[in-house]
Amino acid sequence: MTLSSAPLPQTAVQEQGLRFAFYGRVSTEDNQDPAASRAWQLRRAGGLVEPKGGTIVAEYFDVDKSRSIPWARRPRASALIEALKNPARDFDAVVVGEPHRAFYGNQYSLTFPLFEHFRVPLWVPEVGGAIDPANEAHDMIMGVFGGLSKGERNRIKIRVRSAMAAITATEGRYLGGRPPYGYELIDAGPHPNPAKAADGKRLRRLVPHPAFSLVVKWIFAQFIGGRGLFDIAEELTREGVPSPSAADPGRNRHRVQVAWSKSAVRVIVTNPRYTGRQVWNKQRKDEVLLDVNDVALGHTTKLRWNDRDQWVWSEQQAHEPLVSVEDFERAQAVLASRGHGPAVHKPHRTRRPYAFRGCLHCGYCERRMQGNWNNDQAYYRCRFPAEYALANTIAHPKVVYLREAEIIKDIESWLMTAFSPGRIEATVEAMVEQAGSTENPAATQLRKQLSTCAQRLNQYRAALNAGADAVQVAQWINETEQERARLEGELRAVPDDRVVSTDELREVLRQTSELAHAVVNACPDDKADLYAKLGLRMMYYPQKKLVEAKLVPTSTCANGVCPRGDLNPHAP
C-alpha cells in the first residue's frame, strides 16, 4: 500500500509561483553540523517546491533545539507561528524538508490546525506537496512520522545508557565530566572506536593530584575521627587550602572560590569514586510536564538522584584509590549515625511569596540574600560564616536582615516615576547620544582573547627558535591555533551592532513601562517573576541603610556556551 499516492489539493498543484517559508531544525547535542544539516534540509525542500514553480523566500531554522521541545518553545518555530498570524506575511506556504526534524510525538496534531486556521498550506516531501487536511492518508503519514521521531529518540537514549552501564561495569572507563576533587586527568591511549581514534580522540584516566589527594585523605581521616563537616570546612578555609571550586577555577567561575562549604566536604565524604571504583548512574534526568494545565507546552528536564542500589559500579578498580573501601563505609556509617537520613522538606500549607526573590543582594559580600518568613512577614537575610569573611578579608556581620515591607513601596514608586512619559523621552535622547560609542561586550571580550592567543603563539615560536622541545612546542602551538579558530568563529557569530531608531527605542521603553505598571498592580505571587523579567537588581547596604536599585537586562548562556565551561573536554 502506497499512502503517498493520495490525490493532492488541486489548488496546491495548479497554483504556480508560490512563495515559501522553509522550516528546519537541528540539535547539536549529538555533534551534528548545523550548517550541513540546514543545507541538506533546505535542498530537499527546494527539490519539492522548485519544480512546481515555487520559491523559498524566508527561512526559519532552529539550532541546538531538541525535537522533543514543542513549537511554542522553539525560537524560530514560534516566530513562524507568529508570522502565520500576520495577513501581510511575505510567504504563501510553508515547506518542511524533513518531518522527523520538525515534528515529534503529537506535535503535528497540535500544530497543523494553526496552518488550517490561517489558510497557509504546509508542504512536506513525504506526500509530494501540500498536506490535505481532508485526506486521512496524509494525516496518517504525518502521525506515523511523529511516532517514529519519538521512538528514534527513545531508542538512542536506551542504547546510550545501556552502553555506558556496560562500559562502566566491565571496563571501568572514565565517561566524562569533571574529575573529582583530589584527582586529575591524564591520557590513557587512543579511543577504542576506530573511527574516533582516526579523528584523534583519546581516552582519559583519573590519577591522584599530588596536593589535593592529600586533602581528601585528611578529610576522611578527620571525619572518621569524629569531627563534623562544618568544623572540617572551617579549618580548611582557615589554613588557606583551595576549595574544589578554587582548584578548578576555569569551570567554576559561577561559584564562590574563596572558602570551603559544608556541602563541599559532604560531597567528598559521600563520593564512592575515592575507593578506586568507577561509579555511574548516581543521577538521572527525568522529563516532567512544564505545566500540568497545558500539556502542549511539553516537558522540562529535571536532574534527580538515584537510589544507591541503582548505581553502576566497576567490577575492578579503575584508578588508584585515595581511601580504602572499609574507611569509606565507615564514613558512611558515621554520617548515617548523626541523623535520621536525609532531611525531608515539608511543604508549606500556602506558598510564601517573596516579591524580590533573586533580585536583592548583600552590600557586604554581593551575594543574593535569602528569603526568610518571620512573624508572618517576608524578610531577606544574608548569613556569612566568620571563616568565609576572613577568607574574603571583609568585615561581615553574622546575619544581615531586611524587611520587605520597608522597601517595596519605594521601589514601586520609583518604577512608576522612572517610566513616566517625560522620563522615557529623556532616556531616548540619552541613548541616541551614546549610540555607536560602545561595542558589543561579547565582541570586545573575544578580541581580547584573540590578542592573547597571538601573544602566546609569538612566545611559542620564540621558544622553538631558542631550542625548546619541538614536540612539546608544536603541541602548544596546535592547541592555541585551535583555540584561535574557535574564538574567530564565535566572533563571526556575534551580531553586528546596528543603529536603532528612536521609534524603536520608544517602543522598547513603552513595553518596559507596561511591564513596570504590571509589577505594581500584580498580586504578590506574581511580583517576583515580573521583577525578574524587568531585570531588577538591588544592593542593600546595611551600614548606610540604603538600597540601590537599577534595571539590568537579563541574560543567559549565549550561543550555547555553558558558564561552567566544557565539562567533557575529552568528548568528541
Side-chain angles (χ1 to χ4, degrees):
M1 180 177 63
T2 304
L3 297 178
S4 59
S5 62
L8 302 176
Q10 292 300 315
T11 56
V13 176
Q14 295 174 355
E15 187 173 357
Q16 301 295 317
L18 285 177
R19 300 170 302 168
F20 283 87
F22 159 73
Y23 177 74
R25 184 202 60 81
V26 62
S27 173
T28 58
E29 61 185 7
D30 52 354
N31 304 304
Q32 298 180 43
D33 179 5
S37 182
R38 171 193 166 277
W40 74 258
Q41 292 183 56
L42 182 60
R43 184 181 183 87
R44 194 161 187 253
L48 172 65
V49 302
E50 289 172 0
K52 299 178 181 178
T55 305
I56 295 177
V57 298
E59 292 187 26
Y60 296 85
F61 192 76
D62 278 309
V63 178
D64 198 20
K65 297 300 176 185
S66 171
R67 69 183 73 185
S68 63
I69 299 177
W71 277 49
R73 291 167 50 204
R74 300 181 198 170
R76 299 303 295 158
S78 61
L80 175 58
I81 294 299
E82 289 300 318
L84 294 180
K85 302 175 184 178
N86 183 9
R89 55 183 173 270
D90 56 357
F91 57 86
D92 308 306
V94 175
V95 59
V96 171
E98 176 54 67
H100 272 89
R101 301 295 178 108
F103 301 109
Y104 171 90
N106 64 343
Q107 290 176 2
Y108 168 76
S109 61
L110 296 173
T111 306
F112 187 66
L114 294 174
F115 288 85
E116 289 186 83
H117 177 77
F118 295 109
R119 299 183 180 278
V120 177
L122 175 62
W123 288 45
V124 293
E126 279 65 23
V127 300
I131 296 175
D132 184 357
N135 191 310
E136 295 182 1
H138 289 188
D139 188 67
M140 185 183 300
I141 291 173
M142 297 306 297
V144 167
F145 275 113
L148 290 175
S149 180
K150 184 175 182 178
E152 178 184 1
R153 180 172 180 266
N154 290 336
R155 284 196 304 275
I156 292 174
K157 185 190 304 183
I158 293 172
R159 286 200 300 266
V160 170
R161 290 184 59 84
S162 300
M164 294 180 74
I167 291 172
T168 300
T170 59
E171 302 180 24
R173 188 189 303 176
Y174 175 74
L175 297 177
R178 66 183 68 196
Y181 181 80
Y183 283 107
E184 59 184 351
L185 294 172
I186 64 171
D187 184 81
H191 199 284
N193 185 312
K196 293 184 177 180
D199 290 338
K201 302 297 186 297
R202 312 282 294 181
L203 292 180
R204 300 290 184 94
R205 182 167 59 89
L206 294 173
V207 296
H209 189 279
F212 301 145
S213 61
L214 301 178
V215 178
V216 173
K217 295 178 180 179
W218 181 86
I219 290 175
F220 271 93
Q222 296 297 310
F223 185 73
I224 294 173
R227 297 185 66 177
L229 299 174
F230 190 74
D231 186 25
I232 295 174
E234 281 189 314
E235 180 165 347
L236 290 170
T237 300
R238 184 166 53 249
E239 296 298 327
V241 177
S243 64
S245 56
D248 192 2
R251 291 179 176 151
N252 293 280
R253 293 189 297 272
H254 61 301
R255 296 187 182 275
V256 178
Q257 302 176 7
V258 296
W260 282 78
S261 65
K262 177 181 176 181
S263 61
V265 179
R266 178 187 288 273
V267 167
I268 291 176
V269 170
T270 57
N271 192 339
R273 298 172 81 181
Y274 291 117
T275 64
R277 304 282 181 138
Q278 190 63 270
V279 181
W280 178 78
N281 202 39
K282 293 174 65 178
Q283 290 180 296
R284 70 182 187 276
K285 290 182 178 179
D286 286 348
E287 292 187 347
V288 298
L289 286 173
L290 193 66
D291 186 351
V292 294
N293 296 317
D294 189 358
V295 180
L297 288 178
H299 297 76
T300 185
T301 302
K302 297 289 186 181
L303 197 62
R304 291 170 175 166
W305 289 96
N306 285 325
D307 295 334
R308 189 168 178 176
D309 58 359
Q310 295 180 288
W311 297 0
V312 179
W313 296 65
S314 61
E315 298 172 356
Q316 304 294 331
Q317 283 191 349
H319 47 267
E320 182 179 341
L322 299 186
V323 297
S324 65
V325 175
E326 293 75 15
D327 284 346
F328 179 78
E329 294 298 339
R330 191 176 298 119
Q332 308 316 301
V334 170
L335 190 64
S337 67
R338 294 181 179 178
H340 301 284
V344 178
H345 174 71
K346 295 181 179 179
H348 302 295
R349 292 182 179 178
T350 58
R351 183 172 177 266
R352 293 172 174 175
Y354 294 96
F356 300 122
R357 183 180 67 242
C359 300
L360 189 60
H361 297 252
C362 174
Y364 285 108
C365 61
E366 298 185 358
R367 299 189 309 166
R368 284 192 179 95
M369 299 182 69
Q370 299 174 328
N372 182 52
W373 201 259
N374 194 8
N375 295 326
D376 294 327
Q377 294 189 71
Y379 283 78
Y380 300 88
R381 69 180 180 185
C382 178
R383 294 190 299 180
F384 210 71
E387 297 300 338
Y388 278 44
L390 178 63
N392 279 278
T393 64
I394 60 175
H396 194 294
K398 187 175 181 180
V399 181
V400 174
Y401 264 106
L402 178 63
R403 188 162 59 101
E404 181 181 286
E406 295 179 5
I407 60 173
I408 190 167
K409 291 183 178 179
D410 291 335
I411 293 296
E412 292 177 347
S413 177
W414 167 69
L415 288 175
M416 296 294 288
T417 304
F419 291 100
S420 62
R423 293 296 299 273
I424 289 179
E425 289 300 323
T427 303
V428 169
E429 293 177 4
M431 294 177 69
V432 170
E433 291 179 0
Q434 296 179 359
S437 61
T438 58
E439 185 186 34
N440 190 317
T444 302
Q445 182 64 25
L446 289 171
R447 289 194 175 92
K448 289 181 180 179
Q449 295 177 9
L450 284 170
S451 177
T452 302
C453 287
Q455 295 175 2
R456 284 160 50 193
L457 287 172
N458 291 333
Q459 294 172 356
Y460 297 155
R461 294 188 178 104
L464 188 62
N465 295 333
D469 184 3
V471 175
Q472 183 65 52
V473 174
Q475 180 180 353
W476 294 343
I477 291 177
N478 290 336
E479 292 174 353
T480 307
E481 290 283 5
Q482 293 176 3
E483 182 180 358
R484 184 172 68 174
R486 177 183 62 80
L487 293 171
E488 289 175 347
E490 293 181 7
L491 182 60
R492 288 192 296 269
V494 174
D496 295 332
D497 295 334
R498 65 185 184 92
V499 178
V500 182
S501 67
T502 56
D503 290 338
E504 290 176 313
L505 291 175
R506 289 191 184 92
E507 177 61 21
V508 170
L509 292 175
R510 184 190 63 78
Q511 294 177 3
T512 307
S513 175
E514 293 177 354
L515 183 57
H517 282 75
V519 170
V520 175
N521 299 322
C523 64
D525 288 337
D526 296 332
K527 283 183 180 290
D529 294 334
L530 292 172
Y531 277 131
K533 292 179 181 178
L534 198 58
L536 178 65
R537 179 183 174 88
M538 298 182 294
M539 189 73 69
Y540 173 46
Y541 300 97
Q543 64 275 33
K544 301 179 182 179
K545 296 184 178 180
L546 172 69
V547 174
E548 181 182 82
K550 58 183 178 181
L551 297 181
V552 181
T554 57
S555 62
T556 56
C557 297
N559 297 326
V561 179
C562 177
R564 299 186 182 185
D566 182 11
L567 302 185
N568 298 282
H570 69 289

